[in-house]
Amino acid sequence: MSVQPVAKPRTTAVVLAGGTGQRVGLSIPKQLLKIAGKAVIEHTLTTFEHAEGIDDIIVLMAPGYVPDVEKIVAKAGLTKVTKVIEGGTTRNETTERAISALGEGLAAGEDRNVLFHDAVRPLLSQRVIQDCVDALDRYQAVDVAIPSADTIIVTRTHGGDGEFITEVPDRSRLRRGQTPQAFKLSTIRRAYEVAAGDPNFQATDDCSVVLKYLPDVPIYVVAGDEYNMKVTQPVDVFIADKLFQLASTAAPQQADDAAYRAALSGKTLVVFGGSYGIGSDIAKIAEEYGATVYALGRSTTGTHVENPEHVDDALSKAYSETGRIDYVINTAGVLRIGKLAETDNTTIQEALNVNYLAPVQIARASYKYLAETKGQLLLYTSSSYTRGRAEYSLYSSTKAAMVNLTQALADEWASEGVRVNCVNPERTATPMRTKAFGDEPAGSLLSSEAVARTSLDVLLSELTGHVIDVRQVDPTRGASEASGFEQALASVLDRQEDV
Protein backbone atom coordinates (compact mmCIF):
# COMPACT_ATOMS: atom_id res chain seq x y z
CA MET A 1 0.00 0.00 0.00
CA SER A 2 1.56 3.27 -1.13
CA VAL A 3 1.62 6.27 1.16
CA GLN A 4 0.26 9.42 -0.45
CA PRO A 5 2.41 12.52 0.19
CA VAL A 6 0.86 15.16 2.40
CA ALA A 7 -0.11 18.19 0.33
CA LYS A 8 1.80 21.30 1.31
CA PRO A 9 -0.57 24.01 2.57
CA ARG A 10 -1.00 27.16 0.50
CA THR A 11 1.00 30.14 1.68
CA THR A 12 -0.56 33.58 1.55
CA ALA A 13 1.22 36.89 2.04
CA VAL A 14 -0.99 39.47 3.75
CA VAL A 15 0.32 42.96 3.08
CA LEU A 16 -0.89 45.30 5.78
CA ALA A 17 -1.26 48.78 4.31
CA GLY A 18 -3.76 50.41 6.61
CA GLY A 19 -1.50 53.23 7.86
CA THR A 20 -1.63 56.90 6.86
CA GLY A 21 1.09 59.34 5.93
CA GLN A 22 0.63 61.73 8.85
CA ARG A 23 4.01 61.02 10.47
CA VAL A 24 5.85 61.73 7.21
CA GLY A 25 3.81 64.87 6.60
CA LEU A 26 1.81 63.52 3.65
CA SER A 27 -1.78 63.93 2.57
CA ILE A 28 -1.78 60.36 1.21
CA PRO A 29 -0.91 57.05 2.89
CA LYS A 30 2.85 56.59 2.99
CA GLN A 31 2.57 53.25 1.20
CA LEU A 32 1.51 55.18 -1.92
CA LEU A 33 4.54 57.45 -1.75
CA LYS A 34 6.94 56.90 -4.64
CA ILE A 35 10.43 55.65 -3.87
CA ALA A 36 12.85 54.81 -6.68
CA GLY A 37 10.13 55.49 -9.25
CA LYS A 38 7.45 53.22 -7.78
CA ALA A 39 4.93 53.38 -4.97
CA VAL A 40 6.27 51.85 -1.76
CA ILE A 41 3.54 49.22 -1.81
CA GLU A 42 4.40 48.23 -5.39
CA HIS A 43 7.97 47.43 -4.33
CA THR A 44 6.61 45.31 -1.47
CA LEU A 45 4.05 43.48 -3.59
CA THR A 46 6.60 42.83 -6.33
CA THR A 47 8.90 41.15 -3.82
CA PHE A 48 6.15 38.73 -2.81
CA GLU A 49 5.13 38.27 -6.44
CA HIS A 50 8.62 36.93 -7.19
CA ALA A 51 8.84 34.76 -4.06
CA GLU A 52 8.68 31.06 -4.96
CA GLY A 53 7.19 30.12 -1.60
CA ILE A 54 4.22 32.50 -1.88
CA ASP A 55 1.07 31.27 -3.62
CA ASP A 56 -1.13 34.35 -3.37
CA ILE A 57 -1.30 37.83 -1.86
CA ILE A 58 -4.03 39.77 -0.05
CA VAL A 59 -3.76 43.51 0.56
CA LEU A 60 -5.45 45.31 3.47
CA MET A 61 -5.49 48.97 2.39
CA ALA A 62 -6.36 52.19 4.19
CA PRO A 63 -10.05 53.05 3.75
CA GLY A 64 -10.74 55.06 0.63
CA TYR A 65 -7.59 53.98 -1.21
CA VAL A 66 -8.47 50.47 -2.41
CA PRO A 67 -8.91 51.67 -6.05
CA ASP A 68 -5.41 53.19 -5.99
CA VAL A 69 -3.88 49.83 -5.08
CA GLU A 70 -6.02 47.99 -7.63
CA LYS A 71 -4.64 50.29 -10.35
CA ILE A 72 -1.08 49.64 -9.21
CA VAL A 73 -1.67 45.89 -9.22
CA ALA A 74 -3.19 45.95 -12.71
CA LYS A 75 -0.48 48.18 -14.18
CA ALA A 76 2.37 46.15 -12.67
CA GLY A 77 0.82 42.82 -13.69
CA LEU A 78 0.93 41.39 -10.16
CA THR A 79 -0.91 38.14 -10.79
CA LYS A 80 -0.58 36.73 -7.26
CA VAL A 81 -2.69 39.54 -5.74
CA THR A 82 -6.16 38.02 -5.34
CA LYS A 83 -7.87 40.55 -3.06
CA VAL A 84 -7.53 44.20 -2.09
CA ILE A 85 -9.84 45.02 0.81
CA GLU A 86 -10.17 47.84 3.31
CA GLY A 87 -8.27 47.56 6.56
CA GLY A 88 -9.58 48.53 9.96
CA THR A 89 -8.95 51.53 12.18
CA THR A 90 -6.33 49.63 14.22
CA ARG A 91 -3.65 47.04 13.45
CA ASN A 92 -5.60 44.40 15.35
CA GLU A 93 -8.82 45.10 13.48
CA THR A 94 -6.94 44.94 10.18
CA THR A 95 -5.47 41.55 11.07
CA GLU A 96 -8.92 40.27 12.08
CA ARG A 97 -10.32 41.30 8.68
CA ALA A 98 -7.44 39.47 7.00
CA ILE A 99 -8.10 36.32 9.05
CA SER A 100 -11.75 36.44 8.04
CA ALA A 101 -10.85 36.82 4.35
CA LEU A 102 -8.32 33.98 4.55
CA GLY A 103 -10.93 31.64 5.97
CA GLU A 104 -13.30 32.07 3.03
CA GLY A 105 -13.49 28.97 0.89
CA LEU A 106 -11.45 26.74 3.21
CA ALA A 107 -12.76 23.25 3.70
CA ALA A 108 -13.39 21.92 7.21
CA GLY A 109 -10.08 21.08 8.86
CA GLU A 110 -8.07 22.75 6.10
CA ASP A 111 -5.24 25.05 7.16
CA ARG A 112 -2.88 27.41 5.39
CA ASN A 113 0.29 29.38 6.05
CA VAL A 114 0.08 33.14 6.31
CA LEU A 115 2.78 35.83 6.37
CA PHE A 116 1.73 39.24 7.70
CA HIS A 117 3.99 42.01 6.38
CA ASP A 118 4.03 45.79 6.71
CA ALA A 119 3.51 47.39 3.31
CA VAL A 120 5.98 50.11 4.29
CA ARG A 121 8.87 47.64 4.56
CA PRO A 122 9.67 47.58 0.82
CA LEU A 123 13.25 46.31 1.17
CA LEU A 124 12.31 42.80 2.27
CA SER A 125 14.62 40.09 0.92
CA GLN A 126 13.69 36.79 -0.70
CA ARG A 127 15.87 35.05 1.87
CA VAL A 128 13.75 36.24 4.79
CA ILE A 129 10.51 35.25 3.04
CA GLN A 130 11.77 31.75 2.33
CA ASP A 131 13.14 31.32 5.85
CA CYS A 132 9.69 32.17 7.24
CA VAL A 133 7.95 29.75 4.87
CA ASP A 134 10.41 26.98 5.73
CA ALA A 135 10.04 27.60 9.49
CA LEU A 136 6.28 27.02 9.24
CA ASP A 137 7.03 23.40 8.37
CA ARG A 138 8.07 22.96 12.01
CA TYR A 139 6.46 25.79 13.99
CA GLN A 140 3.03 27.38 14.28
CA ALA A 141 4.29 30.93 14.82
CA VAL A 142 7.36 32.72 13.46
CA ASP A 143 8.77 36.20 14.02
CA VAL A 144 11.57 38.08 12.25
CA ALA A 145 14.07 40.06 14.31
CA ILE A 146 17.58 41.49 14.35
CA PRO A 147 19.99 42.17 17.23
CA SER A 148 19.88 45.64 18.73
CA ALA A 149 23.01 47.64 18.02
CA ASP A 150 21.89 50.28 20.52
CA THR A 151 21.69 50.00 24.29
CA ILE A 152 18.03 49.96 25.30
CA ILE A 153 16.99 51.78 28.46
CA VAL A 154 13.78 51.67 30.46
CA THR A 155 12.65 55.03 31.87
CA ARG A 156 9.97 56.56 34.06
CA THR A 157 8.68 60.08 34.24
CA HIS A 158 9.11 61.89 37.56
CA GLY A 159 6.65 64.74 37.76
CA GLY A 160 7.73 67.67 35.66
CA ASP A 161 11.42 66.82 35.96
CA GLY A 162 11.48 64.61 32.85
CA GLU A 163 12.53 61.00 32.32
CA PHE A 164 14.91 58.92 34.43
CA ILE A 165 16.47 55.50 33.77
CA THR A 166 15.04 52.66 35.81
CA GLU A 167 16.62 49.69 34.03
CA VAL A 168 19.22 48.84 31.39
CA PRO A 169 18.38 45.36 30.01
CA ASP A 170 21.10 43.01 28.79
CA ARG A 171 21.56 44.03 25.14
CA SER A 172 22.74 40.55 24.10
CA ARG A 173 19.21 39.25 24.59
CA LEU A 174 17.39 42.14 22.97
CA ARG A 175 16.08 42.00 19.41
CA ARG A 176 14.32 44.49 17.17
CA GLY A 177 11.17 43.00 15.70
CA GLN A 178 10.45 43.23 11.99
CA THR A 179 7.99 41.64 9.61
CA PRO A 180 6.89 39.28 8.13
CA GLN A 181 5.32 37.51 11.07
CA ALA A 182 4.25 34.06 9.96
CA PHE A 183 1.61 31.68 11.34
CA LYS A 184 -0.53 28.71 10.69
CA LEU A 185 -3.90 30.32 10.01
CA SER A 186 -5.56 28.13 12.66
CA THR A 187 -3.06 29.40 15.26
CA ILE A 188 -3.42 33.13 14.66
CA ARG A 189 -7.21 32.75 14.37
CA ARG A 190 -7.35 30.95 17.73
CA ALA A 191 -5.16 33.62 19.37
CA TYR A 192 -7.54 36.37 18.27
CA GLU A 193 -10.57 34.36 19.38
CA VAL A 194 -9.10 34.08 22.89
CA ALA A 195 -8.06 37.75 22.85
CA ALA A 196 -11.63 38.76 22.01
CA GLY A 197 -12.60 37.73 25.54
CA ASP A 198 -10.19 40.25 27.06
CA PRO A 199 -11.89 43.67 27.49
CA ASN A 200 -8.46 45.32 27.69
CA PHE A 201 -7.05 43.66 24.56
CA GLN A 202 -4.67 45.72 22.50
CA ALA A 203 -1.47 44.84 20.64
CA THR A 204 0.84 46.44 18.11
CA ASP A 205 1.84 43.19 16.41
CA ASP A 206 0.52 39.69 15.94
CA CYS A 207 3.25 37.64 17.62
CA SER A 208 2.48 39.40 20.90
CA VAL A 209 -1.13 38.22 20.58
CA VAL A 210 0.02 34.60 20.28
CA LEU A 211 2.55 35.07 23.09
CA LYS A 212 -0.07 36.42 25.51
CA TYR A 213 -3.13 34.37 24.64
CA LEU A 214 -1.54 31.09 23.47
CA PRO A 215 1.46 30.90 25.83
CA ASP A 216 2.09 27.22 25.07
CA VAL A 217 2.80 27.95 21.39
CA PRO A 218 6.54 28.55 20.80
CA ILE A 219 7.39 31.46 18.52
CA TYR A 220 10.45 30.77 16.40
CA VAL A 221 12.70 33.69 15.43
CA VAL A 222 14.07 34.06 11.90
CA ALA A 223 17.09 36.34 11.42
CA GLY A 224 16.01 39.56 9.74
CA ASP A 225 18.00 42.14 7.79
CA GLU A 226 19.21 45.60 8.77
CA TYR A 227 17.89 47.03 5.49
CA ASN A 228 14.37 45.61 6.05
CA MET A 229 13.51 49.04 7.39
CA LYS A 230 10.09 50.52 8.01
CA VAL A 231 9.27 53.80 6.27
CA THR A 232 7.75 55.74 9.15
CA GLN A 233 9.56 59.06 9.59
CA PRO A 234 10.54 61.65 6.95
CA VAL A 235 14.19 60.57 7.12
CA ASP A 236 13.14 56.99 6.31
CA VAL A 237 11.82 58.13 2.94
CA PHE A 238 15.23 59.55 2.05
CA ILE A 239 17.16 56.52 3.33
CA ALA A 240 14.91 54.01 1.54
CA ASP A 241 15.18 55.93 -1.72
CA LYS A 242 18.97 55.91 -1.49
CA LEU A 243 19.08 52.22 -0.60
CA PHE A 244 17.05 51.44 -3.70
CA GLN A 245 19.34 53.58 -5.81
CA LEU A 246 22.51 52.01 -4.46
CA ALA A 247 21.32 48.42 -4.36
CA SER A 248 22.31 46.36 -7.36
CA THR A 249 20.10 43.55 -8.54
CA ALA A 250 21.68 40.13 -8.77
CA ALA A 251 22.32 39.16 -12.38
CA PRO A 252 19.62 36.94 -13.89
CA GLN A 253 20.38 33.26 -14.25
CA GLN A 254 22.23 32.53 -17.47
CA ALA A 255 20.19 30.74 -20.10
CA ASP A 256 21.39 27.66 -21.99
CA ASP A 257 22.19 27.72 -25.70
CA ALA A 258 18.71 26.58 -26.73
CA ALA A 259 17.06 29.32 -24.65
CA TYR A 260 19.37 31.99 -26.07
CA ARG A 261 18.64 30.85 -29.61
CA ALA A 262 14.88 30.73 -29.07
CA ALA A 263 14.84 34.20 -27.50
CA LEU A 264 17.21 35.96 -29.92
CA SER A 265 16.42 34.34 -33.24
CA GLY A 266 14.71 36.85 -35.50
CA LYS A 267 15.31 39.77 -33.13
CA THR A 268 17.10 42.99 -34.04
CA LEU A 269 19.78 44.52 -31.80
CA VAL A 270 21.36 47.91 -32.29
CA VAL A 271 24.62 48.24 -30.39
CA PHE A 272 26.21 51.67 -30.05
CA GLY A 273 29.83 51.34 -28.99
CA GLY A 274 29.99 48.03 -30.85
CA SER A 275 33.47 48.42 -32.32
CA TYR A 276 35.30 46.68 -29.49
CA GLY A 277 35.07 45.57 -25.87
CA ILE A 278 31.71 44.77 -24.29
CA GLY A 279 29.65 46.09 -27.20
CA SER A 280 31.56 44.03 -29.74
CA ASP A 281 31.19 40.88 -27.63
CA ILE A 282 27.43 41.43 -27.25
CA ALA A 283 27.12 41.73 -31.01
CA LYS A 284 29.12 38.57 -31.70
CA ILE A 285 27.27 36.42 -29.17
CA ALA A 286 23.83 37.66 -30.24
CA GLU A 287 24.61 36.97 -33.91
CA GLU A 288 25.67 33.42 -33.03
CA TYR A 289 22.18 32.86 -31.63
CA GLY A 290 20.35 34.12 -34.69
CA ALA A 291 19.83 37.83 -34.00
CA THR A 292 20.34 40.51 -36.59
CA VAL A 293 22.84 42.91 -35.06
CA TYR A 294 23.92 46.39 -36.06
CA ALA A 295 27.23 46.98 -34.27
CA LEU A 296 28.04 50.66 -34.59
CA GLY A 297 31.21 52.48 -33.65
CA ARG A 298 33.40 55.38 -34.48
CA SER A 299 36.27 53.26 -35.79
CA THR A 300 34.18 50.73 -37.75
CA THR A 301 31.04 52.38 -39.11
CA GLY A 302 31.96 56.03 -38.56
CA THR A 303 29.06 56.38 -36.10
CA HIS A 304 29.59 59.13 -33.55
CA VAL A 305 27.13 58.61 -30.72
CA GLU A 306 27.34 62.28 -29.77
CA ASN A 307 25.89 63.18 -33.18
CA PRO A 308 22.06 62.89 -33.07
CA GLU A 309 21.89 62.52 -36.87
CA HIS A 310 24.23 59.52 -36.76
CA VAL A 311 22.04 57.92 -34.08
CA ASP A 312 18.83 58.57 -36.02
CA ASP A 313 20.32 57.25 -39.25
CA ALA A 314 21.57 54.05 -37.58
CA LEU A 315 18.21 53.28 -36.02
CA SER A 316 16.31 54.15 -39.19
CA LYS A 317 18.54 51.86 -41.27
CA ALA A 318 18.11 48.93 -38.87
CA TYR A 319 14.34 49.38 -38.83
CA SER A 320 13.97 49.74 -42.60
CA GLU A 321 16.01 46.60 -43.24
CA THR A 322 14.48 44.32 -40.59
CA GLY A 323 11.11 45.90 -39.80
CA ARG A 324 11.78 45.93 -36.07
CA ILE A 325 14.17 46.96 -33.29
CA ASP A 326 13.94 44.86 -30.15
CA TYR A 327 16.97 45.96 -28.15
CA VAL A 328 19.12 49.06 -28.12
CA ILE A 329 22.41 48.87 -26.22
CA ASN A 330 24.84 51.71 -25.55
CA THR A 331 28.31 50.79 -24.31
CA ALA A 332 30.06 53.84 -25.79
CA GLY A 333 31.98 55.97 -23.34
CA VAL A 334 35.16 57.92 -22.71
CA LEU A 335 37.30 57.89 -19.56
CA ARG A 336 39.37 60.99 -18.95
CA ILE A 337 41.39 61.17 -15.73
CA GLY A 338 42.58 64.44 -14.27
CA LYS A 339 41.84 67.31 -11.93
CA LEU A 340 38.82 69.28 -13.05
CA ALA A 341 40.51 72.65 -12.55
CA GLU A 342 43.22 71.56 -14.98
CA THR A 343 40.87 70.08 -17.59
CA ASP A 344 40.31 72.04 -20.80
CA ASN A 345 36.89 72.83 -22.24
CA THR A 346 37.29 70.43 -25.15
CA THR A 347 37.83 67.46 -22.82
CA ILE A 348 34.91 68.50 -20.62
CA GLN A 349 32.61 68.84 -23.61
CA GLU A 350 33.68 65.46 -24.99
CA ALA A 351 32.91 63.73 -21.68
CA LEU A 352 29.49 65.35 -21.44
CA ASN A 353 28.64 64.68 -25.09
CA VAL A 354 29.69 61.02 -25.16
CA ASN A 355 28.91 59.90 -21.61
CA TYR A 356 25.69 61.83 -20.99
CA LEU A 357 24.11 63.58 -23.97
CA ALA A 358 24.65 60.62 -26.31
CA PRO A 359 22.70 58.15 -24.12
CA VAL A 360 19.94 60.76 -23.77
CA GLN A 361 19.75 61.15 -27.56
CA ILE A 362 19.89 57.38 -28.07
CA ALA A 363 17.05 56.89 -25.59
CA ARG A 364 14.89 59.57 -27.19
CA ALA A 365 15.46 58.28 -30.73
CA SER A 366 14.95 54.62 -29.73
CA TYR A 367 11.67 55.05 -27.92
CA LYS A 368 9.29 54.78 -30.89
CA TYR A 369 10.95 51.59 -32.11
CA LEU A 370 11.08 49.93 -28.70
CA ALA A 371 7.46 50.86 -27.96
CA GLU A 372 6.46 48.95 -31.07
CA THR A 373 8.22 45.74 -30.01
CA LYS A 374 7.95 46.28 -26.22
CA GLY A 375 11.71 46.02 -26.20
CA GLN A 376 14.50 47.21 -23.95
CA LEU A 377 17.11 49.94 -23.70
CA LEU A 378 20.30 48.87 -21.93
CA LEU A 379 22.73 51.43 -20.54
CA TYR A 380 25.98 51.09 -18.58
CA THR A 381 27.28 52.70 -15.43
CA SER A 382 30.38 52.31 -13.27
CA SER A 383 30.93 51.35 -9.65
CA SER A 384 31.98 54.98 -9.07
CA TYR A 385 28.40 56.17 -9.60
CA THR A 386 27.51 56.11 -5.89
CA ARG A 387 30.27 58.47 -4.84
CA GLY A 388 32.62 60.51 -6.98
CA ARG A 389 36.38 60.15 -6.64
CA ALA A 390 39.15 62.67 -7.03
CA GLU A 391 40.29 63.04 -10.65
CA TYR A 392 37.24 61.12 -11.92
CA SER A 393 34.70 63.92 -11.49
CA LEU A 394 33.49 63.93 -15.10
CA TYR A 395 33.34 60.17 -15.47
CA SER A 396 31.71 59.33 -12.12
CA SER A 397 29.13 62.12 -12.35
CA THR A 398 28.01 61.12 -15.84
CA LYS A 399 27.82 57.48 -14.75
CA ALA A 400 25.63 58.49 -11.81
CA ALA A 401 23.41 60.24 -14.35
CA MET A 402 23.00 56.92 -16.20
CA VAL A 403 21.46 55.33 -13.11
CA ASN A 404 19.02 58.20 -12.66
CA LEU A 405 18.20 58.17 -16.37
CA THR A 406 17.52 54.41 -16.21
CA GLN A 407 15.21 54.67 -13.23
CA ALA A 408 13.35 57.68 -14.65
CA LEU A 409 12.80 56.17 -18.09
CA ALA A 410 11.77 52.79 -16.70
CA ASP A 411 8.97 54.56 -14.86
CA GLU A 412 8.16 56.88 -17.76
CA TRP A 413 7.99 54.09 -20.36
CA ALA A 414 6.38 51.37 -18.24
CA SER A 415 2.90 52.02 -19.65
CA GLU A 416 4.23 51.24 -23.14
CA GLY A 417 5.90 48.03 -22.00
CA VAL A 418 9.41 49.34 -22.73
CA ARG A 419 12.03 48.15 -20.24
CA VAL A 420 15.15 50.09 -19.29
CA ASN A 421 18.05 48.68 -17.29
CA CYS A 422 21.61 49.60 -16.43
CA VAL A 423 24.57 47.21 -16.13
CA ASN A 424 27.21 48.00 -13.51
CA PRO A 425 30.33 45.93 -14.20
CA GLU A 426 33.28 46.03 -11.86
CA ARG A 427 36.71 46.65 -13.39
CA THR A 428 36.61 45.12 -16.86
CA ALA A 429 39.34 44.38 -19.36
CA THR A 430 38.47 46.73 -22.23
CA PRO A 431 40.60 48.85 -24.56
CA MET A 432 39.21 51.98 -22.88
CA ARG A 433 40.49 50.83 -19.49
CA THR A 434 43.86 49.73 -20.86
CA LYS A 435 44.29 53.14 -22.47
CA ALA A 436 43.61 54.84 -19.14
CA PHE A 437 45.50 52.52 -16.78
CA GLY A 438 47.86 50.44 -18.88
CA ASP A 439 48.35 46.70 -18.34
CA GLU A 440 46.99 45.34 -15.05
CA PRO A 441 47.59 42.02 -13.23
CA ALA A 442 46.07 38.99 -14.93
CA GLY A 443 42.89 37.81 -13.25
CA SER A 444 42.21 41.14 -11.57
CA LEU A 445 39.66 42.22 -14.18
CA LEU A 446 36.38 40.88 -15.50
CA SER A 447 36.43 39.75 -19.12
CA SER A 448 34.34 41.82 -21.51
CA GLU A 449 32.71 38.60 -22.72
CA ALA A 450 31.46 37.83 -19.19
CA VAL A 451 29.83 41.27 -19.01
CA ALA A 452 28.38 40.74 -22.51
CA ARG A 453 26.82 37.43 -21.44
CA THR A 454 25.20 39.03 -18.42
CA SER A 455 24.00 41.88 -20.61
CA LEU A 456 22.17 39.43 -22.84
CA ASP A 457 20.62 37.77 -19.79
CA VAL A 458 19.33 41.17 -18.69
CA LEU A 459 17.90 41.84 -22.16
CA LEU A 460 16.03 38.53 -22.09
CA SER A 461 14.68 39.05 -18.55
CA GLU A 462 11.58 40.93 -17.42
CA LEU A 463 13.63 43.33 -15.30
CA THR A 464 13.14 47.05 -15.67
CA GLY A 465 14.49 50.02 -13.75
CA HIS A 466 17.31 47.97 -12.23
CA VAL A 467 21.05 48.37 -11.79
CA ILE A 468 22.55 44.93 -12.42
CA ASP A 469 25.87 44.32 -10.70
CA VAL A 470 28.39 42.16 -12.57
CA ARG A 471 31.21 40.97 -10.35
CA GLN A 472 33.79 38.23 -10.43
CA VAL A 473 32.51 35.15 -8.62
CA ASP A 474 34.03 34.38 -5.24
CA PRO A 475 34.97 30.70 -5.55
CA THR A 476 33.87 30.09 -1.95
CA ARG A 477 30.43 31.61 -2.54
CA GLY A 478 28.33 31.70 -5.69
CA ALA A 479 27.29 35.12 -6.93
CA SER A 480 23.65 34.08 -6.82
CA GLU A 481 23.88 33.51 -3.07
CA ALA A 482 24.42 37.19 -2.33
CA SER A 483 21.45 39.52 -2.17
CA GLY A 484 21.40 42.71 -4.19
CA PHE A 485 22.10 44.70 -1.04
CA GLU A 486 25.04 42.50 -0.09
CA GLN A 487 26.44 43.00 -3.56
CA ALA A 488 25.91 46.73 -3.20
CA LEU A 489 27.79 46.71 0.10
CA ALA A 490 30.64 44.81 -1.49
CA SER A 491 30.73 47.36 -4.28
CA VAL A 492 30.89 50.25 -1.83
CA LEU A 493 33.78 48.59 0.01
CA ASP A 494 35.61 48.15 -3.28
CA ARG A 495 35.11 51.75 -4.43
CA GLN A 496 38.66 52.76 -3.60
CA GLU A 497 39.83 50.38 -6.34
CA ASP A 498 37.03 50.33 -8.91
CA VAL A 499 36.35 52.83 -11.64
Side-chain angles (χ1 to χ4, degrees), residues 38 46 50 248-253 375-378 406 410 417-423 454 457-469:
K38 297 178 183 179
T46 299
H50 293 159
S248 299
T249 299
Q253 291 294 319
Q376 181 177 162
L377 171 67
L378 188 62
T406 295
V418 180
R419 289 165 289 126
V420 187
N421 288 296
C422 190
V423 171
T454 297
D457 290 329
V458 174
L459 290 177
L460 303 182
S461 74
E462 294 302 314
L463 295 174
T464 189
H466 288 270
V467 178
I468 294 88
D469 220 6

Side-chain angles (χ1 to χ4, degrees), residues 379 401-411 420-422 465-467:
L379 303 174
M402 288 305 96
V403 173
N404 283 274
L405 181 63
T406 295
Q407 293 168 336
L409 292 180
D411 189 32
V420 187
N421 288 296
C422 190
H466 288 270
V467 178

Side-chain angles (χ1 to χ4, degrees), residues 176-194:
R176 290 188 285 145
Q178 299 181 331
T179 62
Q181 292 186 331
F183 308 92
K184 294 294 184 183
L185 177 59
S186 57
T187 299
I188 190 65
R189 179 195 287 128
R190 178 59 182 155
Y192 270 88
E193 288 172 350
V194 177

Side-chain angles (χ1 to χ4, degrees), residues 131-320:
D131 283 355
C132 288
V133 173
D134 292 342
L136 286 175
D137 289 340
R138 297 182 58 195
Y139 304 99
Q140 300 176 53
V142 179
D143 203 355
V144 173
I146 59 175
S148 176
D150 297 317
T151 296
I152 305 298
I153 61 174
V154 179
T155 68
R156 65 175 176 81
T157 301
H158 184 71
D161 294 333
E163 290 185 299
F164 296 84
I165 293 177
T166 60
E167 184 182 355
V168 182
D170 179 3
R171 189 174 69 182
S172 67
R173 298 183 60 193
L174 297 177
R175 300 291 183 269
R176 290 188 285 145
Q178 299 181 331
T179 62
Q181 292 186 331
F183 308 92
K184 294 294 184 183
L185 177 59
S186 57
T187 299
I188 190 65
R189 179 195 287 128
R190 178 59 182 155
Y192 270 88
E193 288 172 350
V194 177
D198 181 355
N200 299 314
F201 168 58
Q202 59 179 359
T204 58
D205 74 296
D206 298 310
C207 278
S208 64
V209 179
V210 173
L211 182 66
K212 182 173 182 179
Y213 298 102
L214 298 180
D216 293 334
V217 174
I219 303 174
Y220 180 74
V221 179
V222 161
D225 290 315
E226 283 287 350
Y227 45 79
N228 184 18
M229 62 178 292
K230 188 174 183 180
V231 178
T232 303
Q233 303 295 337
V235 68
D236 300 332
V237 177
F238 173 80
I239 294 171
D241 194 63
K242 285 302 175 185
L243 283 173
F244 270 112
Q245 184 185 44
L246 298 180
S248 299
T249 299
Q253 291 294 319
Q254 289 199 351
D256 57 24
D257 285 351
Y260 278 129
R261 192 169 301 281
L264 290 170
S265 181
K267 298 295 179 24
T268 299
L269 282 74
V270 178
V271 184
F272 293 98
S275 296
Y276 54 80
I278 298 168
S280 176
D281 286 337
I282 290 174
K284 291 175 184 176
I285 297 171
E287 283 182 334
E288 291 174 0
Y289 290 114
T292 301
V293 182
Y294 293 80
L296 308 158
R298 182 175 303 192
S299 61
T300 51
T301 62
T303 304
H304 293 244
V305 291
E306 67 272 28
N307 187 324
E309 291 183 2
H310 286 197
V311 171
D312 287 335
D313 289 347
L315 292 168
S316 178
K317 181 176 185 292
Y319 185 79
S320 65

Side-chain angles (χ1 to χ4, degrees), residues 335-418:
L335 172 58
R336 300 290 182 256
I337 303 171
K339 296 178 179 179
L340 183 61
E342 299 171 2
T343 305
D344 59 61
N345 287 333
T346 301
T347 301
I348 292 173
Q349 197 62 54
E350 178 197 39
L352 294 176
N353 287 343
V354 176
N355 291 349
Y356 179 68
L357 292 179
V360 169
Q361 296 289 1
I362 290 169
R364 186 174 68 164
S366 300
Y367 174 72
K368 63 181 179 181
Y369 302 109
L370 296 175
E372 190 174 298
T373 59
K374 298 191 183 303
Q376 181 177 162
L377 171 67
L378 188 62
L379 303 174
Y380 288 77
T381 186
S382 156
S383 58
S384 64
Y385 81 86
T386 59
R387 190 177 191 277
R389 292 175 54 206
E391 300 191 17
Y392 296 93
S393 57
L394 293 173
Y395 187 72
S396 59
S397 59
T398 54
K399 289 305 179 181
M402 288 305 96
V403 173
N404 283 274
L405 181 63
T406 295
Q407 293 168 336
L409 292 180
D411 189 32
E412 190 174 315
W413 294 355
S415 60
E416 299 295 331
V418 180

